[in-house]
């Protein structure tokens, strides 16, 4: 999810537009032929039963519920057509049955009101569904600005990954990730914002905005992390002014240069796993520091350390939604034991197996957002991409400045 300095263009993603969403809302749930064919059969059955029961039990008036039923799934035109048909049948049946003028008039008025209510319900349903479609389209566009679709290729690595929200109707949660191609190599961040909801999303967006700019401007990985710390501190200062709670962010920041070297700065995040030659092992990070936003509570500065990332290996990074997933008996997900089963699979296959296994293990019950990145080195024989254009280099700064 990044507006990064990419030497190779990212795959083009087509966003679902508002027009497409509205068209789907207004599309009929049932074809006209099926709908009016079923209506004709139902009417014939009710009229036959009405004739058989005689004057003791009138069944034709029951047709007034049909427009209301159609309004649940049909279009305004379909509901209006059904209402008109029901109106004609009901009035004709009432006139043929005879009776006083008052009885006939009251029956006609009742049928007309019922049909109008059905049409009105359909109009309100489609109007509400259209508003929801517009909001969802805007939310999807916002999500693309916060979390870029995966995979993300750069000069040094390819980042495969998956993102699962704790709530299916929420497109963005508290977990963040980003991959940026910079003049100093590829910079990657994966993190987890304390808490949930819109305040947590705001903090996450502040971190991502700072990362996109710092990843390109800062020569060292520590410099990048310092800028992230400043961003969280500013966000917490603003939160204190508005009465919101201050938050921190656990994060793992990685750097990959053109010589195959990798560095990591761990800010209270889970250590990654290295999957290589059929073995999955925890990467020992001995210099773990406090989360972003809590630097003033620690007397020790942050430091970067080297990682072993050989060719053909997969570096798996993730948030605690993976390790804290539980089964029906409350047991935590045994990540390391499960990874050994898929240690000879590629990054994409590994992610698919992990996602399916997590879903089976937890029974589909999510307790936290889940973000997973599977990073693999680009083959040395790959062709050298062209230099980034001026426009590509300007995109991160323009996105942050609002231009």
């Amino acid at each position: 999810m990044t507006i990064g300095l990419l030497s190779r263009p990212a795959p083009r993603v087509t966003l679902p537009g508002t027009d497409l969403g509205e068209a789907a809302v207004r599309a009929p749930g049932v074809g006209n032929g099926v709908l009016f064919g079923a209506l004709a059969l139902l009417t014939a059955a009710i009229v036959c039963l009405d004739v058989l029961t005689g004057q003791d039990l009138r069944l034709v008036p029951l047709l007034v519920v049909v427009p209301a039923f159609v309004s649940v799934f049909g279009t305004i035109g379909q509901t209006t057509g059904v209402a008109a048909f029901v109106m004609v049948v009901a009035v004709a049946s009432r006139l043929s049955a005879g009776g006083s003028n008052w009885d006939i008039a009251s029956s006609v008025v009742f049928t007309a009101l019922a049909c109008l209510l059905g049409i009105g319900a359909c109009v309100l349903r489609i109007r509400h569904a259209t508003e929801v479609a517009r909001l969802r389209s805007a939310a999807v566009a916002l999500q693309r600005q916060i979390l870029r679709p995966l995979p993300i290729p750069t000069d040094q690595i390819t980042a495969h990954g998956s993102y699962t929200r704790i709530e299916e109707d929420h497109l963005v949660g508290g977990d963040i990730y980003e991959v940026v191609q910079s003049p100093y190599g590829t910079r990657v961040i994966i993190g987890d914002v304390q808490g949930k909801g819109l305040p947590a999303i705001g903090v996450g967006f502040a971190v991502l905005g700072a990362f996109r700019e710092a990843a390109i401007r800062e020569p060292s990985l520590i410099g990048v992390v310092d800028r992230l710390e400043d961003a969280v501190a500013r966000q917490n200062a603003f939160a204190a002014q508005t009465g919101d709670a201050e938050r921190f962010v656990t994060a793992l920041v990685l750097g990959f240069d053109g010589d195959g070297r990798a560095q990591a700065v761990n800010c209270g995040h889970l250590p990654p796993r290295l999957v290589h030659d059929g073995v999955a092992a925890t990467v020992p990070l001995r210099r773990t520091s406090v989360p972003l936003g809590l630097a003033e509570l620690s007397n020790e500065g942050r430091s970067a350390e080297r990682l072993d990332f050989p060719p053909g290996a997969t570096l798996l990074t993730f948030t605690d939604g993976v390790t804290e997933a539980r089964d029906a008996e409350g047991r935590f997900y045994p990540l390391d034991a499960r990874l050994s089963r898929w240690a000879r699979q590629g990054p994409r296959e590994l992610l698919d197996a992990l996602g399916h296994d997590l879903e089976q293990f937890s029974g589909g019950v999510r307790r936290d957002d889940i973000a997973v990145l599977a990073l693999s080195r680009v083959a040395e024989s790959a062709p050298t991409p062209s230099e980034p254009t001026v426009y590509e280099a300007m995109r991160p700064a323009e996105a942050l400045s609002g231009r």
Side-chain angles (χ1 to χ4, degrees):
M1 120 179 180
T2 311
I3 303 177
L5 177 59
L6 295 178
S7 297
R8 63 184 65 179
R12 184 175 180 180
V13 178
T14 302
L15 299 179
T18 302
D19 293 340
L20 294 178
E22 293 184 24
V25 167
R26 293 189 171 91
V30 177
N32 291 334
V34 175
L35 176 63
F36 288 100
L39 178 61
L41 292 175
L42 176 63
T43 303
I46 289 180
V47 170
C48 291
L49 290 175
D50 187 77
V51 172
L52 293 175
T53 56
Q55 298 293 329
D56 296 334
L57 181 62
R58 305 296 301 175
L59 298 179
V60 172
L62 294 178
L63 287 174
V64 296
V65 303
V66 176
F69 177 73
V70 175
S71 70
V72 175
F73 59 85
T75 64
I76 296 177
Q78 288 178 330
T79 305
T80 302
V82 169
F85 178 82
V86 168
M87 187 72 185
V88 171
V89 172
V91 171
S93 173
R94 191 66 187 86
L95 291 175
S96 64
S100 64
N101 292 335
W102 170 253
D103 290 339
I104 295 175
S106 60
S107 178
V108 170
V109 170
F110 172 78
T111 303
L113 288 176
C115 292
L116 290 175
L117 286 175
I119 297 172
C122 183
V123 171
L124 293 177
R125 175 185 65 82
I126 292 180
R127 181 181 300 173
H128 174 72
T130 301
E131 292 176 356
V132 172
R134 289 173 178 171
L135 291 174
R136 187 168 183 83
S137 178
V140 169
L142 175 61
Q143 182 196 27
R144 299 306 185 189
Q145 297 299 317
I146 299 179
L147 295 178
R148 187 164 61 145
L150 295 158
I152 303 173
T154 69
D155 290 350
Q156 290 77 32
I157 65 170
T158 298
H160 295 271
S162 63
Y163 187 88
T164 307
R165 285 80 54 192
I166 186 174
E167 297 175 277
E168 293 184 355
D169 58 338
H170 288 186
L171 295 175
V172 181
D175 290 358
I176 57 174
Y177 66 83
E178 181 61 299
V179 180
V180 173
Q181 177 72 65
S182 79
Y184 314 103
T186 299
R187 269 76 187 272
V188 178
I189 183 175
I190 185 169
D192 189 356
V193 182
Q194 175 202 16
K196 295 178 176 63
L198 291 178
I201 294 174
V203 174
F205 191 60
V207 172
L208 290 172
F211 178 79
R212 291 166 181 161
E213 182 175 10
I216 295 175
R217 296 182 181 275
E218 296 292 336
S220 70
L221 207 59
I222 293 298
V224 174
V225 175
D226 288 342
R227 301 290 79 76
L228 302 183
E229 176 68 32
D230 294 342
V232 177
R234 289 193 299 268
Q235 191 75 11
N236 282 336
F238 178 76
Q241 296 175 359
T242 58
D244 194 12
E246 297 183 3
R247 300 175 187 273
F248 61 84
V249 182
T250 65
L252 178 66
V253 183
L254 302 168
F256 304 90
D257 61 22
D259 297 328
R261 294 172 298 188
Q263 285 185 316
V265 179
N266 190 359
C267 305
H269 200 73
L270 297 168
R273 278 24 174 201
L274 185 68
V275 182
H276 185 53
D277 284 341
V279 177
T282 301
V283 177
L285 297 179
R286 302 177 180 85
R287 303 174 186 173
T288 300
S289 60
V290 296
L292 300 173
L294 302 179
E296 61 180 12
L297 303 180
S298 175
N299 296 325
E300 298 182 0
R302 295 188 171 96
S303 59
E305 55 185 305
R306 293 285 299 276
L307 294 182
D308 182 22
F309 192 28
T314 297
L315 191 64
L316 191 73
T317 66
F318 47 87
T319 57
D320 58 9
V322 175
T323 55
E324 294 183 2
R326 302 190 186 192
D327 62 9
E329 299 179 2
R331 294 174 297 188
F332 288 105
Y333 183 70
L335 175 63
D336 294 313
R338 300 299 177 92
L339 280 180
S340 61
R341 302 178 182 178
W342 317 307
R344 296 193 179 277
Q345 298 184 5
R348 185 66 264 170
E349 294 76 16
L350 176 62
L351 286 171
D352 292 341
L354 176 60
H356 179 74
D357 194 55
L358 269 172
E359 190 75 10
Q360 294 293 323
F361 180 84
S362 63
V365 178
R366 301 188 183 99
R367 293 179 171 84
D368 200 357
D369 301 318
I370 297 176
V372 184
L373 294 180
L375 312 176
S376 59
R377 286 179 54 179
V378 175
E380 295 181 359
S381 59
T384 302
S386 60
E387 292 297 321
T389 64
V390 175
Y391 172 73
E392 290 173 330
M394 291 293 293
R395 286 178 63 196
E398 291 177 351
L400 292 170
S401 64
R403 295 196 295 257

